[in-house]
């Protein structure tokens, strides 16, 4: 993803840059988050092959995602739309929307993209650059973590509504056309599944499963959702996950949270593996055929899953 997971020039706001007071954070016991289960959901997605729109693997995985999310006892809507990519191709995109506590007024958004990249444009082997990647981390990892959270919420519910959206056609863009990325979230944010949709806040997970992942403060998140961002990173610190959640500025990433922020004015924080100290920002496997199950680390999944679950269970709508 660049720009969908690409760095942009975005100045940081003046949100505080220290760890702040974590004394009021009282994490519940979320050790029940199963990294093994999240890993299995990632492996199941990868087993379909590259989930590129217009392929049999894409269609089969969409059906599996819908069926599995329904098996948790939640309502599921598949929002379909014919969308045009930067090169003029038309695909039927499928945004898979899971609704928990549909009658609740206060709602929280949990987001990830489920499609995988149609080309391996950064692969070291030029002969492989025009072939699609498996996207174990870039796509499947965020979905896998949210599937496990959805499973847990079916047995340990919260007292507000949760909407989990797996966006399609996020990773079909090109660097020189910023609006060519995030087509599924662009569409949903303009035509949400519920008219005048509102949520208290949102969390986007993107590339959250690799070995030695680092999650810095993403610039759009810091600008438009600074309090939520600090809450998440402070919670991670209390839980002992400071090695993953770095309390320092990262880059501005054009990702699925941006159209949601811009079109629906919902504050969304992007938890994304991006290190401003790396030459490309992202992991060595990014947009290559090395983005397979070998890069996935259960410890990273645990850190992200427990942090997000703690934030969810601690949240008390006003």
């Amino acid at each position: 993803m660049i720009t969908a997971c690409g760095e942009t020039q975005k100045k940081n706001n003046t949100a505080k840059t220290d760890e702040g007071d974590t004394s009021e954070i009282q994490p519940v016991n979320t050790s029940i988050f199963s990294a093994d289960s999240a890993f299995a959901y990632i492996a199941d997605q990868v087993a379909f092959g590259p989930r590129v729109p217009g392929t049999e693997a894409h269609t089969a995985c969409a059906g599996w995602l819908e069926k599995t999310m329904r098996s948790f006892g939640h309502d599921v809507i598949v929002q379909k739309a014919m969308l045009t990519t930067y090169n003029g191709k038309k695909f039927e995109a499928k945004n898979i929307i899971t609704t928990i506590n549909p009658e609740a007024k206060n709602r929280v958004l949990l987001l990830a993209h489920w499609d995988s990249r149609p080309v391996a444009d950064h692969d070291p082997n030029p002969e492989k650059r025009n072939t699609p990647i498996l996207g174990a981390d870039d796509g499947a990892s965020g979905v896998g973590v949210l599937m496990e959270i959805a499973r847990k919420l079916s047995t340990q519910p919260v007292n507000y509504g949760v909407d989990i959206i797996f966006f399609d056609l996020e990773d079909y863009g090109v660097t020189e056309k910023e609006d060519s990325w995030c087509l599924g979230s662009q569409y949903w944010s303009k035509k949400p599944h519920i008219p005048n949709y509102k949520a208290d806040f949102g969390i986007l997970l993107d590339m959250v499963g690799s070995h030695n992942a680092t999650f810095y403060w993403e610039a759009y998140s810091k600008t438009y959702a600074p309090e939520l961002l600090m809450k998440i990173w402070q919670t991670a610190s209390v839980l002992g996950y400071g090695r993953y959640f770095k309390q320092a500025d990262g880059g501005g990433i054009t990702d699925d949270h941006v159209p949601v922020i811009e079109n629906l004015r919902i504050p969304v924080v992007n938890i994304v593996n991006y290190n401003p100290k790396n030459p490309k920002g992202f992991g060595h496997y990014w947009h290559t055929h090395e983005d397979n199950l070998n890069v996935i680390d259960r410890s990273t999944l645990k850190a992200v899953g427990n942090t997000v679950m703690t934030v969810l269970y601690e949240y008390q709508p006003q």
Side-chain angles (χ1 to χ4, degrees), residues 54-73:
T55 65
E56 292 182 3
H58 182 269
T59 300
C61 187
W64 173 80
L65 287 170
E66 179 185 1
K67 179 180 178 180
T68 305
M69 296 300 274
R70 288 189 191 277
S71 74
F72 302 146

Side-chain angles (χ1 to χ4, degrees), residues 159-170:
N159 63 357
Y160 52 85
V162 178
D163 297 298
I164 301 174
I165 306 181
F166 301 148
F167 287 124
D168 201 356
L169 271 171
E170 186 267 0

